[in-house]
Amino acid sequence: MKLLAVTACPTGIAHTYMAAEALEVAAEEAGHEIVVETQGSAGSTPFTQAQLDEAEAIILAADVEVRDKERFAHLPTVTSPVKKAIGGAPGLIEQAVAKATAQPKGSAAAAVPAQRDGSDLDTKNFGAGFGSKLRGWLMTGVSYVIPFVAAGGLLIALGFALGGYQITEAPDVVSFGDDGVASVVFDPGALQSWAALLFQVGGLAFGFLVPVLAGFIAYAIADRPALVPGFVGGMIAVQTHAGFLGGLVAGLLAGAVVYGLKLWQPPRALAGIMPVLVLPLIGTAVVGAIMFLVVGTPLAAATTGLTNWLNGLSGTNAILLGALLGLMMAFDMGGPVNKAAYAFAVAGLSTGSETALMIMAAVMAAGMTPPLALALATAVRKNLFTKAEQENGRAAWLLGASFITEGAIPFAAADPLRVIPSLMAGSAVAGSLSMAFGATLRAPHGGIFVVPLIGNPFAYLLAIIAGTLVSAALVVGLKSARRTPAPAAAEQTATAPAAAPVAG
């Protein structure tokens, strides 16, 4: 049978490609052909028309809105979270084959997207499974924000590394005089000028975070007509100092307003201009008015209160926060809980406070620990792991060093009751020690490759090593204590990609 699949995760990096590989392996073992379109951060190669015509069913394994989904309206469809494709690919292949047999393509039944008991991410309605839809909308916004965070954060960090903390006081590279004439203040031979240039470019990239977040949350809810109201609402959140929280509210508000407007059946004369004029115009006016007059000020107060609370954290409170963030990072290894902790840390970067920089460092340390721990465990006690897991362990060294927590997923999928608690314990240790040592991080990503940009780097590395040792020891101890060896079927555990992109 010829099948298609689309995989997409919020970051568009590790989960996307791991799910694709797992589906390809499962289809081959079951004797079927499959073509996977990975809608990841590196772009995607769309299915050809011939592939769409020949396919008998499609699997949509995604935690964000699948692009151009109308292409698959004629196919029996199986939908699932992307994580299920990594750990349960054979089951999804079986479901697709069964649907193709029961509902041939082109039939009325095939044209109705499959539900998945509340986890369907079809964001074109506000029906059942609202909680999962809400997560999908938020994750779509986060997925578009992450490249801005990575580029802007690393440029800012490089600016600090080259020019020191006084770089914040450097004059603007381009300034305007009283006569309105622009002048460039830049010396190609001066390191300080290059540092100022990198810092200011990174700052501009960071300035897009809230508008992009709001715009693409709105887009996930109500498609392109909601982009303008979302972006404008996000910019108002910036102007009113409502921050990241304001961006979330603006995106949801813009999506809901435009979705509601789309329910109105306009006269035929207006139908053609609804998407390009009427919906953006009315949506922007409504969202702008509500953001300025109703919710902007309260959200700004809430954001200020949160910032002040973070700045006031010290001692035991800071250590406990680091431990909590560590537990969240290891709980689902790239899933919604992990992304919530990461988004919390990234949101704080825009404030520039010392505590926010400590939180970012703690989150990255806790996210690096799980793959590194399993890589170490497979190296010191190979007999406790299958050959497939040993191969995963070798790849996990690079994944962990690169802050790709998803490198631990194959191990957790095979033995969740032993592996996940062990990883959570080690990540909690890494996060709390990073906070206790006062390590700081201005870059939102990079793993071991941005250690020169970390405040108190040697203590930071010590926190990562300590967390890695704790998790590895617990994994080895718990696996050694089991009465029966791993079943032979575990050899078929989905393998992690040998060379995943360095991000995610």
Side-chain angles (χ1 to χ4, degrees):
M1 187 167 287
K2 293 186 177 182
L3 306 174
L4 299 179
V6 176
T7 59
C9 67
T11 56
I13 305 174
H15 275 83
T16 298
Y17 301 100
M18 293 169 72
E21 182 178 356
L23 288 170
E24 289 167 349
V25 170
E28 182 180 357
E29 291 177 349
H32 304 292
E33 296 181 27
I34 191 169
V35 179
V36 183
E37 180 180 307
T38 51
Q39 295 187 358
S41 59
S44 62
T45 302
F47 299 122
T48 66
Q49 190 58 49
Q51 290 169 337
L52 290 169
D53 292 340
E54 295 173 358
E56 297 170 75
I58 187 166
I59 299 169
L60 303 180
D63 287 336
V64 296
E65 182 70 6
V66 173
R67 297 193 291 270
D68 302 321
K69 194 159 56 176
E70 63 276 2
R71 294 174 293 164
F72 319 128
H74 65 295
L75 292 173
T77 304
V78 174
T79 59
S80 82
V82 68
K83 201 169 182 182
K84 185 175 180 181
I86 298 173
L92 293 179
I93 296 296
E94 290 179 7
Q95 290 181 45
V97 171
K99 279 217 165 187
T101 303
Q103 304 171 2
K105 64 180 180 180
S107 66
V112 180
Q115 300 297 312
R116 44 181 198 196
D117 300 325
S119 58
D120 176 52
L121 290 179
D122 181 9
T123 60
K124 300 303 181 290
N125 64 79
F126 283 78
F130 177 76
S132 293
K133 291 183 178 65
L134 177 62
R135 187 190 73 183
W137 300 332
L138 298 179
M139 289 298 100
T140 297
V142 170
S143 71
Y144 283 96
V145 163
I146 286 175
F148 288 87
V149 172
L154 288 171
L155 287 172
I156 290 173
L158 286 171
F160 277 111
L162 295 176
Y165 287 97
Q166 66 272 20
I167 199 64
T168 57
E169 302 173 5
D172 293 339
V173 174
V174 176
S175 59
F176 293 87
D178 295 336
D179 55 1
V181 177
S183 60
V184 178
V185 182
F186 183 75
D187 181 3
L191 184 63
Q192 197 73 4
S193 288
W194 285 104
L197 177 64
L198 293 173
F199 178 80
Q200 291 172 27
V201 171
L204 289 173
F206 243 53
F208 284 98
L209 297 189
V210 174
V212 168
L213 175 72
F216 283 100
I217 289 174
Y219 168 77
I221 297 172
D223 294 319
R224 293 182 184 179
L227 274 173
V228 174
F231 271 92
V232 173
M235 186 56 70
I236 294 173
V238 173
Q239 290 205 353
T240 57
H241 303 288
F244 208 75
L245 181 60
L248 293 175
V249 173
L252 294 171
L253 176 64
V257 168
V258 174
Y259 178 85
L261 290 171
K262 289 171 70 175
L263 297 178
W264 172 56
Q265 296 296 323
R268 183 171 297 180
L270 290 178
I273 61 172
M274 283 287 289
V276 296
L277 178 59
V278 178
L279 294 178
L281 173 63
I282 299 177
T284 301
V286 172
V287 172
I290 294 175
M291 288 299 297
F292 266 129
L293 303 178
V294 181
V295 301
T297 301
L299 290 175
T303 300
T304 301
L306 176 62
T307 302
N308 292 337
W309 175 70
L310 290 177
N311 290 337
L313 285 177
S314 61
T316 303
N317 289 334
I319 293 173
L320 290 176
L321 178 60
L324 174 62
L325 292 171
L327 292 171
M328 294 174 69
M329 289 298 291
F331 176 71
D332 55 1
M333 292 156 281
V337 176
N338 171 286
K339 288 296 182 289
Y342 181 71
F344 175 70
V346 169
L349 281 181
S350 59
T351 69
S353 72
E354 190 75 7
T355 305
L357 302 182
M358 291 168 58
I359 289 172
M360 188 71 249
V363 163
M364 191 167 82
M368 293 170 64
T369 298
L372 292 174
L374 290 165
L376 178 61
T378 57
V380 298
R381 291 294 300 275
K382 290 183 179 180
N383 62 308
L384 296 176
F385 300 91
T386 66
K387 290 183 179 179
E389 288 174 330
Q390 292 172 29
E391 293 176 5
N392 289 339
R394 286 190 286 271
W397 286 113
L398 177 60
L399 297 175
S402 304
F403 182 31
I404 300 178
T405 316
E406 291 89 337
I409 287 177
F411 299 89
D415 191 4
L417 295 181
R418 293 180 179 87
V419 171
I420 293 178
S422 302
L423 299 184
M424 291 176 67
S427 289
V429 169
S432 59
L433 286 178
S434 176
M435 293 290 285
F437 294 149
T440 58
L441 175 62
R442 293 182 178 274
H445 218 294
I448 201 76
F449 304 102
V450 295
V451 166
L453 307 178
I454 292 172
N456 201 3
F458 294 108
Y460 185 71
L461 292 175
L462 179 60
I464 294 173
I465 292 171
T468 299
L469 291 175
V470 168
S471 286
L474 287 173
V475 168
V476 169
L478 290 175
K479 282 184 172 288
S480 299
R482 67 186 176 189
R483 296 181 179 179
T484 57
E491 295 287 346
Q492 305 301 325
T493 302
T495 58
V502 183

